[in-house]
Amino acid sequence: MTEPVHPFDPPAHERHWIETVTELARDFAASAAEFDDTAELPIANLRALHATGLDRATLPAELGGEDLSYRSYGEIVRILSAACSSTACIWVMHIGAAVGLAQLSAPDMGRFYAEELIDGKRFANALSEPSSGNMFLMPQQIAEPADGGYRLTGAKRFVSGCEAADHFLVNALVDGVPTFFGVSPDDTMTFVPIWDTMGLRASRSQLVSFEGTLLREDRRCPPSAEPRPNHIAAGLAFLSLGIADAAEEALVSHARGRVIPATGQPLAEMQWLQFEAADVHARLEAARVYSRNMAWLADRNSPEFMPATMTAKVLANDIARDVAQLALKTGGGSGFLRTSPIQRLFRDAQAGGLMAYSAEVCKDRIGKTVLLPQD
């Protein structure tokens, strides 16, 4: 008898994507430390993912894709992030911008962007502004009317993978209304090399400067008729969960292999560590299940999806930091060395809570929902 499938599991017909990414992730993990050290874009990893057809699979069927479920997408992000979190971060933003433009644009432009993704072109999000904090969907920069569209002068920050991007999803105020555009790089756009960071170093999320850049009218996205799930909001929790997975694996490996000279027993037999490991493992499982629930809601286009992304992100961000902290504590001096994967995972784990919406913004919104009357 076939065992029942959990409703949060990836659909059976998509399991081959999980297996494909798991195989690729072994190579990605082997090069993660080098990419972290050099802070170079893991472009070979991104091309390998595209070569499998995975990018195409994320598109809607009517645009040549496979309608890859959010349940599978979340599992894929988690696997990638455990192997190389910078690769996972760029891929989440790439798919978020590409599928976003394909779905949000007018039909002809939507098909154009879908074909560009299928052809191997790279996409990036240029949404966050230096002065806007977490309000990346509420731009402050104004696009001025011009022949053929609008002109934008300003800057967007934290644009992951921007140096390799062929298309950008950009937002600006048009007549006081936040508006999305598809933008191809030209000589009015420059990349400001500010990305010398503690973690996610190979994501190269640079500042992009716009100097009178034309936002073409024909690449303006019409107002969205209704809210829909999106790959960035859905992916961020799984990005942190993957880091937590890798940190827990490093913790366990060190605890089992480190023998205490005074007792001759492995560190894993110390009761204090067993208690702390039990605590973070239980919380990691809880965050995993809630995030899978969030992906399940996305697959049903539920109005509960967006609120669920806030809770999922908070749970995942917090547990990633705490598992990495315990891994560092367990590793001791050995984990503090640059040759140890523990210190890299500890640094990468800090990023999730800072990414918009930050953990504080998420908690503020959750708290208001809990404590204040709702309309």
Side-chain angles (χ1 to χ4, degrees):
M1 180 180 295
T2 303
E3 292 187 6
V5 176
H6 193 285
F8 296 167
D9 284 345
H13 70 278
E14 294 178 351
R15 287 296 308 175
H16 67 99
W17 288 120
I18 309 300
E19 294 163 4
T20 296
V21 171
T22 299
E23 185 66 28
L24 285 177
R26 296 189 180 98
D27 290 336
F28 297 174
S31 60
E34 181 180 355
F35 281 123
D36 173 76
D37 186 53
T38 63
E40 294 179 4
L41 278 176
I43 194 68
N45 294 354
L46 301 170
R47 287 172 177 163
L49 286 168
H50 179 267
T52 67
L54 178 61
D55 288 1
R56 178 177 190 153
T58 62
L59 286 165
E62 64 269 20
L63 293 175
E66 296 182 14
D67 284 317
L68 185 76
S69 70
Y70 280 91
R71 285 166 290 164
S72 292
Y73 168 75
E75 187 66 17
I76 287 167
V77 173
R78 187 179 181 186
I79 293 166
L80 290 175
S81 188
C84 177
S85 51
S86 288
T87 296
C89 178
I90 297 170
W91 189 73
V92 165
M93 300 305 168
H94 163 64
I95 294 301
V99 178
L101 280 169
Q103 292 183 317
L104 293 172
S105 298
D108 286 348
M109 285 309 305
R111 285 189 291 272
F112 166 75
Y113 286 122
E115 290 167 1
E116 289 285 273
L117 178 63
I118 292 169
D119 195 43
K121 298 297 193 296
R122 307 299 312 170
F123 290 74
N125 288 284
L127 303 176
S128 294
E129 298 174 352
S131 60
S132 67
N134 267 246
M135 300 298 103
F136 65 101
L137 295 179
M138 297 297 294
Q140 298 176 347
Q141 296 167 3
I142 298 171
E144 300 291 350
D147 289 342
Y150 303 85
R151 295 281 180 186
L152 176 64
T153 296
K156 302 290 185 177
R157 63 177 181 171
F158 307 143
V159 187
S160 302
C162 60
E163 294 147 313
D166 301 289
H167 301 286
F168 291 82
L169 175 62
V170 177
N171 62 350
L173 289 176
V174 174
D175 298 327
V177 178
T179 307
F180 290 115
F181 291 85
V183 178
S184 298
D186 60 24
D187 58 8
T188 68
M189 296 169 57
T190 55
F191 307 129
V192 184
I194 63 170
W195 196 249
D196 186 12
T197 54
M198 179 171 69
L200 290 184
R201 288 174 49 76
S203 70
R204 295 188 64 81
S205 305
Q206 309 284 22
L207 184 79
V208 179
S209 176
F210 299 85
E211 294 294 335
T213 302
L214 180 64
L215 308 181
R216 289 169 46 177
E217 178 64 37
D218 65 339
R219 298 197 178 187
R220 176 180 178 176
C221 298
S224 182
E226 59 184 23
R228 70 178 79 193
N230 68 86
H231 289 83
I232 297 176
L236 292 180
F238 291 100
L239 190 64
S240 284
L241 288 177
I243 296 170
D245 288 341
E248 185 180 50
E249 182 178 346
L251 183 163
V252 170
S253 176
H254 184 85
R256 290 175 177 174
R258 173 78 167 92
V259 175
I260 303 171
T263 64
Q265 294 178 315
L267 185 59
E269 294 192 17
M270 297 292 290
Q271 189 179 60
W272 71 266
L273 182 55
Q274 291 175 353
F275 279 16
E276 292 199 39
D279 176 69
V280 295
H281 181 75
R283 290 172 51 211
L284 178 55
E285 284 295 289
R288 178 181 70 90
V289 172
Y290 191 88
S291 295
R292 294 177 74 200
N293 168 67
M294 176 262 291
W296 180 83
L297 291 170
D299 283 331
R300 278 147 183 77
N301 198 19
S302 168
E304 296 301 314
F305 165 72
M306 282 308 298
T309 65
M310 300 280 181
T311 300
K313 187 174 184 297
V314 165
L315 293 173
N317 294 165
D318 286 355
I319 193 57
R321 287 196 301 267
D322 290 350
V323 175
Q325 174 67 51
L326 181 57
L328 186 62
K329 180 178 178 180
T330 303
S334 298
F336 201 65
L337 296 174
R338 285 295 298 268
T339 53
S340 169
I342 292 175
Q343 55 79 30
R344 171 172 53 82
L345 295 166
F346 177 83
R347 290 185 284 107
D348 285 350
Q350 312 309 310
L354 304 175
M355 297 170 75
Y357 295 118
S358 70
E360 289 72 26
V361 170
C362 291
K363 289 177 181 179
D364 178 70
R365 294 194 177 185
I366 295 168
K368 284 182 169 62
T369 301
V370 171
L371 294 172
L372 302 179
Q374 303 301 303
D375 294 334

